[in-house]
Amino acid sequence: MSMINYASREINCKVVYYGSGLGGKTTNLEHVFTKVAPDQRGKMVSLATETERTLFFDFLPVDLGTVRGFKTRFHLYTVPG
Amino acid sequence: MSGAGTWSIAEEDHRKITEHLGALLKESQAHGALVVDRAGQLLANVGDELKFDPTTFASLTAADFSANDQLAKMIGEPEFGSLFHQGEKESMYLADVARRVILVVLFDQRTTVGLVRLKVKQTVNDLTKVFDDMFGRAGQPGQQKQAKLLEGAEDEIDKLFGD
Ligand SMILES: Nc1nc2c(ncn2[C@@H]2O[C@H](COP(=O)(O)OP(=O)(O)OP(=O)(O)O)[C@@H](O)[C@H]2O)c(=O)[nH]1
Ligand SMILES: [Mg+2]
């Protein structure tokens, strides 16, 4: 799913991971977080229980660069399994 | 904009939204106003420079609103039209607009929640009109603009992933 803002020249795409509980969705997002250069990513937010199960969602914004002069950003989410 | 969650916002609409937000800040003495869609994407942002990541803020705002929607249903309300989070110095007031987007107002002791709430009402009406018009136009010329933009964009996206 995407949102194009012609005024601020931004494209935002939302990507949602889903899958079985403890299947590695959050771990995958953490891996992406460590691999992406700090200036290209935002803060990773995890709404989780103390015992690592995702309660609400994890969220990580990643900047991809520009496409046709539009700043392009991925919003990566994981949901609880 | 169209169904299935994918939509776009035209410059003219963005300008109108920004103007309404600017007027709200002036009248309410609040220091920031944002418009976020229900899926957590930031559409507009006016006021003092933000000290936090607006993308993350927008995503959490939408989550906050949907969690509260469910709470509302549990106590027999169809929804909460607005939410107020009070901090020691900074507070925020959130209001539903046309059941599609959320208006977030950031303010501190320079004003009161009463004044903010009062002024937000007018802004919600103004924004509702803008968004009703926008959604009413869905599937019209904007779509062509979108198709034109996406023409050849695939190559550029491939390039981004190339390295
Ligand atoms: N061996 C192994 N363990 C993994 C792998 N990926 C994740 N894990 C482990 O599996 C456990 C659960 O991983 P999470 O990433 O929290 O799983 P999740 O899909 O987010 O789970 P929920 O949020 O509860 O739905 C953690 O202890 C991880 O360390 C993998 O590739 N190999
Ligand atoms: Mg998880």
Side-chain angles (χ1 to χ4, degrees):
Chain A
M1 175 189 119
S2 69
M3 218 284 297
I4 304 172
N5 189 332
Y6 287 96
S8 55
R9 304 193 79 73
E10 278 185 0
I11 302 175
N12 287 299
C13 302
K14 190 167 179 176
V15 178
V16 181
Y17 289 66
Y18 73 99
S20 59
L22 300 174
K25 300 178 294 294
T26 300
T27 308
N28 196 300
L29 210 64
E30 284 166 350
H31 184 73
V32 172
F33 181 81
T34 60
K35 288 288 174 190
V36 176
D39 62 333
Q40 274 182 282
R41 57 163 153 78
K43 232 174 93 169
M44 178 163 166
V45 174
S46 285
L47 303 184
T49 62
E50 274 163 36
T51 56
E52 84 181 357
R53 298 298 305 269
T54 302
L55 181 64
F56 206 174
F57 63 84
D58 303 309
F59 173 69
L60 175 64
V62 178
D63 283 335
L64 278 186
T66 49
V67 174
R68 298 258 142 154
F70 280 67
K71 192 167 190 264
T72 305
R73 197 185 281 125
F74 273 9
H75 294 193
L76 307 178
Y77 283 86
T78 87
V79 294
Chain B
M1 50 180 89
S2 64
T6 294
W7 55 296
S8 62
I9 179 167
E11 288 182 37
E12 175 63 11
D13 293 320
H14 190 268
R15 190 186 55 75
K16 281 188 206 152
I17 294 166
T18 310
E19 273 174 16
H20 290 311
L21 296 184
L24 171 65
L25 291 189
K26 218 167 136 200
E27 290 174 16
S28 68
Q29 303 291 311
H31 62 75
L34 301 91
V35 173
V36 173
D37 82 350
R38 289 281 187 143
Q41 315 214 50
L42 182 67
L43 306 187
N45 169 21
V46 168
D48 294 355
E49 200 185 321
L50 301 172
K51 297 182 196 84
F52 49 79
D53 176 13
T55 311
T56 304
F57 186 83
S59 150
L60 289 171
T61 300
D64 185 23
F65 231 82
S66 22
N68 277 288
D69 259 357
Q70 293 306 312
L71 286 175
K73 290 203 175 75
M74 289 179 88
I75 64 162
E77 284 290 324
E79 59 167 7
F80 294 131
S82 61
L83 303 172
F84 171 46
H85 298 309
Q86 183 170 25
E88 219 169 278
K89 290 199 187 95
E90 294 290 326
S91 296
M92 49 195 271
Y93 189 85
L94 301 95
D96 170 76
V97 177
R99 292 178 171 256
R100 296 278 197 149
V101 298
I102 303 160
L103 166 65
V104 187
V105 185
L106 303 169
F107 62 98
D108 56 24
Q109 303 105 318
R110 283 174 287 179
T111 182
T112 62
V113 62
L115 182 62
V116 170
R117 180 180 286 134
L118 181 73
K119 296 300 177 188
V120 157
K121 273 191 195 146
Q122 181 59 43
T123 310
V124 166
N125 287 338
D126 293 340
L127 290 178
T128 299
K129 210 177 155 300
V130 176
F131 282 100
D132 280 350
D133 284 354
M134 253 167 96
F135 287 108
R137 265 185 273 128
Q140 312 269 307
Q143 296 304 100
Q144 283 168 7
K145 198 173 172 188
Q146 197 160 329
K148 209 167 147 202
L149 169 76
L150 294 176
E151 229 171 73
E154 235 170 84
D155 292 347
E156 292 191 37
I157 293 170
D158 284 346
K159 253 184 253 159
L160 285 172
F161 285 101
D163 45 15

